Amino acid sequence: MSSLFQNYTRRPIHLVKGKGTIVTDANGKDYLDFTSGIAVLSLGHTHPAIVQAIQEQSEKLWHISNLFENPEQEKLAETLVSDTHFAHAFFCNSGAEANEAAIKLARKHTGKHTIITFEKSFHGRTFGAMSATGQDKIRNGFGPLLETFKTVPFNDVSALEAVIDDEVGAIMLEVIQGEGGVNQVTPEFAQAISDICLANGILLIIDEVQTGISRTGTRYAYEQTVLKPDIMTLAKGLGGGFPIGAMLGTADLHDSLGPGTHGTTFGGNPLAVAVAQTVLDNVFVP
């Protein structure tokens, strides 16, 4: 009998080491790792630059409260927003946390509670992120979800237009849906979202937890569309396997996330920031 909760269907393979795209089990058998730790290992297993970053940072500082200045966080934020329309970043530990921050920021900034999301979407398993997720298999069994999320069919312009009213504060989507099937936003739907947000003063949240950090050929997948998000969330590939998440926002949102409105104990810790900066230095090559 395992002492672990059985919330994962685990494969009977005990992996003990990895190098690049190859992992090795306890019996010495090698595997080509197509899972990449569920899409997190941007530079592969034990990349020399990441190993060096962890070693060097671990000898200086592992953790410090976000109540103190953090120049390394500032540098990472500048790298992420550089040459974009974003101005600010908030660091946390995961994609779900980043999406929770995005939901809070959108509601706080607009004073409106309704957020439109889409069928087959996936935004995380915390209560806010789960409420935003358009899949019953993720939400079943947990009782009433957070109110005022409206879920409509993906790539359906008429369905989207039908739920727009004065209470909508934000639209939240993945440019390419991942967990719900590889479904890409159509140019027509992207244009409709852009027009609706502009005409109604609705914030656009784009979840790039899976698609961000050059996964689709550009730094962020939205850059291949007409969409211009007010808020964007990142995780997975950002840390190259080390836990970190980020929420990016435009300059006009700055004052809505003032002191005391949101926080995290471990988010943006020195080890995570050192690894993420190393990932970006190797992926965001001029």
Side-chain angles (χ1 to χ4, degrees), residues 77-145:
E78 289 173 4
T79 304
L80 288 169
V81 304
S82 177
D83 298 322
T84 74
H85 64 286
F86 294 113
H88 307 290
F90 164 79
F91 295 112
C92 50
N93 303 287
S94 69
E97 287 187 29
N99 284 331
E100 291 283 349
I103 292 166
K104 286 181 66 175
L105 177 56
R107 291 177 64 161
K108 180 76 161 52
H109 184 76
T110 63
K112 299 178 180 181
H113 300 158
T114 300
I115 296 178
I116 297 172
T117 63
F118 299 95
E119 293 177 0
K120 298 184 180 180
S121 62
F122 181 77
H123 298 292
R125 296 178 185 272
T126 50
F127 245 87
M130 182 173 63
S131 299
T133 293
Q135 299 188 62
D136 288 340
K137 68 177 183 180
I138 304 297
R139 305 187 293 191
N140 286 342
F142 296 103
L145 300 175

Side-chain angles (χ1 to χ4, degrees), residues 84-246:
T84 74
H85 64 286
F86 294 113
H88 307 290
F90 164 79
F91 295 112
C92 50
N93 303 287
S94 69
E97 287 187 29
N99 284 331
E100 291 283 349
I103 292 166
K104 286 181 66 175
L105 177 56
R107 291 177 64 161
K108 180 76 161 52
H109 184 76
T110 63
K112 299 178 180 181
H113 300 158
T114 300
I115 296 178
I116 297 172
T117 63
F118 299 95
E119 293 177 0
K120 298 184 180 180
S121 62
F122 181 77
H123 298 292
R125 296 178 185 272
T126 50
F127 245 87
M130 182 173 63
S131 299
T133 293
Q135 299 188 62
D136 288 340
K137 68 177 183 180
I138 304 297
R139 305 187 293 191
N140 286 342
F142 296 103
L145 300 175
L146 295 186
E147 297 178 355
T148 66
F149 282 93
K150 293 183 178 180
T151 304
V152 300
F154 192 53
N155 283 330
D156 188 329
V157 175
S158 296
L160 176 60
E161 291 175 339
V163 296
I164 298 298
D165 58 31
D166 292 340
E167 297 303 314
V168 176
I171 294 174
M172 184 175 189
L173 82 155
E174 302 153 281
V175 172
I176 303 174
Q177 293 182 333
E179 206 278 344
V182 183
N183 307 307
Q184 186 172 352
V185 67
T186 63
E188 295 78 15
F189 197 56
Q191 186 64 61
I193 292 173
S194 180
D195 293 343
I196 287 170
C197 287
L198 184 62
N200 296 275
I202 295 172
L203 295 181
L204 176 59
I205 304 169
I206 292 188
D207 178 342
E208 295 241 16
V209 169
Q210 295 200 60
T211 56
I213 318 302
S214 299
R215 283 276 165 77
T216 65
T218 51
R219 290 175 304 169
Y220 311 120
Y222 82 84
E223 294 174 320
Q224 300 175 50
T225 73
V226 299
L227 297 171
K228 190 174 182 180
D230 301 280
I231 302 170
M232 180 175 69
T233 56
L234 301 167
K236 290 191 180 288
L238 176 60
F242 203 95
I244 189 171

Side-chain angles (χ1 to χ4, degrees), residues 2 22 40 52 70 78 124 139 196 202 232 234 248 253:
S2 172
I22 304 297
V40 300
Q52 182 180 351
N70 193 324
E78 289 173 4
R139 305 187 293 191
I196 287 170
I202 295 172
M232 180 175 69
L234 301 167
L248 307 187
L253 301 178

